[in-house]
Amino acid sequence: MSIINKKGNKNQNLAMVIVGDRCIGCDACYAACKTDWDVLPVKEAYRTKVWDIEGEDNFGNPTIRFLPVLCNHCDNPPCVDVCPTGASFKRDEDGIVLVNSDMCIGCKACMVACPYDARYYDETKASVDKCTFCLPRLNNGLEPACVVTCVGESRNFGDLNDPDSNVAKMMKNATSITRLKEDKGTLPNVYYITINY
């Protein structure tokens, strides 16, 4: 059985494919996102970020690896299910999960429901905010800001339904594919892969 979410009724199956060992933790993605979308200048407010994960190798030496995180634009998004006004919704045509700030009443139920901690409340907008896969940029034929600024080419974006897309080819050639918190049943559309070089 394929780990890739099935097409369903979507015309496009938009996804972020992250090659984990290419992320160098430079935070260019974080800075680009904050700048492009006027995300509040506090640590708690982010549409994407990179976690530092410290550990040890087999010899007890300290190690660090980096984990880029963002909204997973789930096919089964709990944030949409709990929204009392319909402000949080999923686009049928491509699966992007959005928030209509005009409809958001600030109850923050979606923030509690999201298992990825991918939402924050923007006091200035009086609305919850989150990653949109840079929808305005996509509408202008551009890739998401975090993808364009990724110096290690860790972040990749595209339509998994298109076999000629970069992300579909990467998924086909991946030696491992994982998604975060799959046990939650959310069917996330952010994939973490490894590739043999």
mmCIF file of all heavy atoms in Angstrom, residues 27-37 145-146 149:
data_model
loop_
_atom_site.group_PDB
_atom_site.id
_atom_site.type_symbol
_atom_site.label_atom_id
_atom_site.label_comp_id
_atom_site.label_asym_id
_atom_site.label_seq_id
_atom_site.Cartn_x
_atom_site.Cartn_y
_atom_site.Cartn_z
ATOM 1 N N ASP A 27 17.673 28.387 8.877
ATOM 2 C CA ASP A 27 16.477 29.193 9.162
ATOM 3 C C ASP A 27 16.140 30.213 8.073
ATOM 4 O O ASP A 27 15.378 31.152 8.320
ATOM 5 C CB ASP A 27 16.572 29.898 10.509
ATOM 6 C CG ASP A 27 16.307 28.954 11.677
ATOM 7 O OD1 ASP A 27 15.583 27.958 11.472
ATOM 8 O OD2 ASP A 27 16.811 29.214 12.779
ATOM 9 N N ALA A 28 16.692 30.048 6.870
ATOM 10 C CA ALA A 28 16.324 30.935 5.760
ATOM 11 C C ALA A 28 14.829 30.799 5.457
ATOM 12 O O ALA A 28 14.158 31.792 5.147
ATOM 13 C CB ALA A 28 17.148 30.619 4.516
ATOM 14 N N CYS A 29 14.301 29.600 5.559
ATOM 15 C CA CYS A 29 12.872 29.352 5.317
ATOM 16 C C CYS A 29 12.024 30.120 6.333
ATOM 17 O O CYS A 29 11.029 30.754 5.979
ATOM 18 C CB CYS A 29 12.571 27.861 5.371
ATOM 19 S SG CYS A 29 13.134 27.034 6.890
ATOM 20 N N TYR A 30 12.432 30.058 7.569
ATOM 21 C CA TYR A 30 11.733 30.736 8.665
ATOM 22 C C TYR A 30 11.715 32.246 8.425
ATOM 23 O O TYR A 30 10.677 32.898 8.534
ATOM 24 C CB TYR A 30 12.435 30.373 9.976
ATOM 25 C CG TYR A 30 11.946 31.059 11.212
ATOM 26 C CD1 TYR A 30 10.772 30.660 11.835
ATOM 27 C CD2 TYR A 30 12.684 32.088 11.796
ATOM 28 C CE1 TYR A 30 10.342 31.282 12.995
ATOM 29 C CE2 TYR A 30 12.258 32.708 12.949
ATOM 30 C CZ TYR A 30 11.090 32.299 13.549
ATOM 31 O OH TYR A 30 10.663 32.911 14.692
ATOM 32 N N ALA A 31 12.878 32.795 8.077
ATOM 33 C CA ALA A 31 12.989 34.244 7.848
ATOM 34 C C ALA A 31 12.179 34.668 6.624
ATOM 35 O O ALA A 31 11.487 35.696 6.655
ATOM 36 C CB ALA A 31 14.453 34.629 7.682
ATOM 37 N N ALA A 32 12.247 33.895 5.557
ATOM 38 C CA ALA A 32 11.513 34.238 4.332
ATOM 39 C C ALA A 32 10.009 34.225 4.577
ATOM 40 O O ALA A 32 9.280 35.123 4.129
ATOM 41 C CB ALA A 32 11.866 33.273 3.217
ATOM 42 N N CYS A 33 9.554 33.240 5.316
ATOM 43 C CA CYS A 33 8.120 33.124 5.607
ATOM 44 C C CYS A 33 7.657 34.293 6.471
ATOM 45 O O CYS A 33 6.622 34.915 6.193
ATOM 46 C CB CYS A 33 7.842 31.794 6.296
ATOM 47 S SG CYS A 33 6.113 31.545 6.716
ATOM 48 N N LYS A 34 8.413 34.592 7.510
ATOM 49 C CA LYS A 34 8.037 35.709 8.391
ATOM 50 C C LYS A 34 7.970 37.014 7.620
ATOM 51 O O LYS A 34 7.068 37.830 7.823
ATOM 52 C CB LYS A 34 9.064 35.843 9.528
ATOM 53 C CG LYS A 34 8.936 34.802 10.602
ATOM 54 C CD LYS A 34 8.593 35.450 11.911
ATOM 55 C CE LYS A 34 8.516 34.420 13.029
ATOM 56 N NZ LYS A 34 7.880 34.988 14.207
ATOM 57 N N THR A 35 8.923 37.209 6.705
ATOM 58 C CA THR A 35 8.982 38.445 5.934
ATOM 59 C C THR A 35 7.852 38.518 4.915
ATOM 60 O O THR A 35 7.155 39.537 4.818
ATOM 61 C CB THR A 35 10.339 38.546 5.210
ATOM 62 O OG1 THR A 35 11.380 38.517 6.180
ATOM 63 C CG2 THR A 35 10.433 39.825 4.402
ATOM 64 N N ASP A 36 7.668 37.443 4.158
ATOM 65 C CA ASP A 36 6.649 37.461 3.098
ATOM 66 C C ASP A 36 5.240 37.637 3.634
ATOM 67 O O ASP A 36 4.397 38.251 2.973
ATOM 68 C CB ASP A 36 6.713 36.162 2.283
ATOM 69 C CG ASP A 36 7.651 36.275 1.106
ATOM 70 O OD1 ASP A 36 8.566 37.117 1.145
ATOM 71 O OD2 ASP A 36 7.456 35.524 0.125
ATOM 72 N N TRP A 37 4.966 37.077 4.808
ATOM 73 C CA TRP A 37 3.586 37.038 5.296
ATOM 74 C C TRP A 37 3.369 37.852 6.560
ATOM 75 O O TRP A 37 2.342 37.682 7.231
ATOM 76 C CB TRP A 37 3.146 35.583 5.482
ATOM 77 C CG TRP A 37 3.346 34.843 4.207
ATOM 78 C CD1 TRP A 37 4.183 33.791 3.988
ATOM 79 C CD2 TRP A 37 2.756 35.145 2.936
ATOM 80 N NE1 TRP A 37 4.160 33.429 2.668
ATOM 81 C CE2 TRP A 37 3.288 34.237 2.005
ATOM 82 C CE3 TRP A 37 1.843 36.100 2.496
ATOM 83 C CZ2 TRP A 37 2.924 34.255 0.651
ATOM 84 C CZ3 TRP A 37 1.480 36.126 1.144
ATOM 85 C CH2 TRP A 37 2.019 35.198 0.256
ATOM 86 N N ALA A 145 7.780 30.437 -0.508
ATOM 87 C CA ALA A 145 8.991 31.176 -0.143
ATOM 88 C C ALA A 145 10.001 30.279 0.559
ATOM 89 O O ALA A 145 11.207 30.406 0.343
ATOM 90 C CB ALA A 145 8.619 32.361 0.748
ATOM 91 N N CYS A 146 9.533 29.355 1.392
ATOM 92 C CA CYS A 146 10.459 28.488 2.122
ATOM 93 C C CYS A 146 11.200 27.547 1.185
ATOM 94 O O CYS A 146 12.338 27.153 1.456
ATOM 95 C CB CYS A 146 9.722 27.699 3.201
ATOM 96 S SG CYS A 146 8.441 26.574 2.593
ATOM 97 N N THR A 149 13.959 29.679 -0.839
ATOM 98 C CA THR A 149 15.105 30.121 -0.048
ATOM 99 C C THR A 149 15.889 28.974 0.588
ATOM 100 O O THR A 149 16.890 29.218 1.250
ATOM 101 C CB THR A 149 14.649 31.066 1.083
ATOM 102 O OG1 THR A 149 13.665 30.396 1.878
ATOM 103 C CG2 THR A 149 14.081 32.350 0.508
#
